[in-house]
Amino acid sequence: MLKAAAVIRHLHFEDLGTLEAVLTASGYRVHYYDIGVSELWTLDPESPDLMVVLGGPVGVYETEAYPFLEEERQLLKRRLALGRPTLGICLGAQMIAQVLGAKVAPMGHKEIGFSPLLLTGAGRAGPLRHLEGVPVLHWHGDAFAIPGGADSLAATALCATQGFAFGRNVLGLQFHPEVNACAGIERWLVGHAAEIAAAGIDPCALRRDAAAHGPALRDAARKMLTEWLEGTVF
């Protein structure tokens, strides 16, 4: 019997990327809930076997400008209260951290580009061990504090909080393991053109790095997600 994975997507090109194949192979039927298209009230936070909240270019604190953030927050409150398997990436991880009582705020600088993670002891002992030494894609200007009761998993020189695990069923990742860099990241470069220009980042360099690191990132990220899914408790 197929399991259900509900995926909240904020930008069409920031999808599950290379990780979708892992879910399909693991017996999940994936359904996207697109902000501005799908009605979030139709999503029952309790029923999906897995919930994934993806990234997006807004801050968790911008609820007045973007009211859907409060809808997401309420969904996650109910979901996390039940301890159901939940994965957050970038904005999704920040939302989970906020719901768990941790602060999320601007870092004062951007972290955009490929670089490896510095894993903590907990990070090396869990699924993120597959990413050790592999340059992953970073694309954010906000950062979360590690929620109380959660394990800090990784850091970089520009951001001390790159991931956390809250028990076996909740994983928050500040970076982007899902990006299909093997296919190029042109949609990311176009979709975020104003942001990378303002940050003084060369899109040609990002394009070259995606080509160089894409295969290793794809393989490592798929191993990471496979191991995490196997360790979740339903």
Side-chain angles (χ1 to χ4, degrees):
M1 182 176 178
L2 285 176
K3 293 172 282 190
V7 182
I8 297 179
R9 178 168 55 182
H10 305 96
L11 291 173
H12 199 265
F13 59 84
E14 290 198 29
D15 54 21
L16 285 170
T18 64
L19 300 185
E20 188 159 348
V22 174
L23 295 183
T24 301
S26 300
Y28 286 86
R29 176 179 51 81
V30 175
H31 181 81
Y32 284 99
Y33 289 82
D34 289 297
I35 297 302
V37 178
S38 307
E39 297 287 348
L40 282 183
W41 65 266
T42 65
L43 172 55
D44 179 1
E46 301 179 16
S47 61
D49 299 283
L50 172 68
M51 181 177 287
V52 182
V53 185
L54 296 170
V58 297
V60 299
Y61 42 79
E62 297 182 285
T63 52
E64 185 174 343
Y66 303 101
F68 72 83
L69 290 167
E70 182 58 32
E71 291 185 74
E72 284 189 34
R73 187 176 296 110
Q74 294 305 318
L75 284 171
L76 282 168
K77 279 184 179 179
R78 292 171 58 190
R79 178 82 181 176
L80 297 177
L82 295 170
R84 300 278 279 155
T86 306
L87 169 64
I89 295 176
C90 198
L91 174 60
Q94 295 165 7
M95 293 285 292
I96 292 173
Q98 185 186 55
V99 169
L100 292 175
K103 182 180 179 180
V104 180
M107 297 191 298
H109 58 269
K110 297 284 187 179
E111 184 178 29
I112 299 175
F114 288 84
S115 66
L117 300 166
L118 303 171
L119 298 183
T120 65
R124 290 190 204 93
L128 264 68
R129 64 190 175 87
H130 297 289
L131 293 169
E132 189 160 25
V134 178
V136 301
L137 179 63
H138 306 276
W139 206 303
H140 66 113
D142 291 349
F144 50 72
I146 301 298
D151 292 320
S152 177
L153 302 177
T156 60
L158 292 177
C159 179
T161 54
Q162 287 285 351
F164 64 86
F166 189 74
R168 296 173 64 180
N169 282 1
V170 179
L171 181 63
L173 304 175
Q174 182 58 73
F175 57 96
H176 289 274
E178 82 286 3
V179 64
N180 187 8
C182 296
I185 56 170
E186 213 61 32
R187 293 189 302 165
W188 286 64
L189 298 180
V190 173
H192 296 304
E195 182 180 20
I196 60 178
I201 294 170
D202 180 7
C204 296
L206 287 174
R207 191 180 292 113
R208 288 193 299 268
D209 286 347
H213 304 308
L217 175 56
R218 174 198 60 203
D219 296 345
R222 285 177 173 176
K223 290 176 183 177
M224 176 205 71
L225 182 60
T226 299
E227 183 173 321
W228 181 71
L229 289 173
E230 290 173 349
T232 55
V233 181
F234 291 92

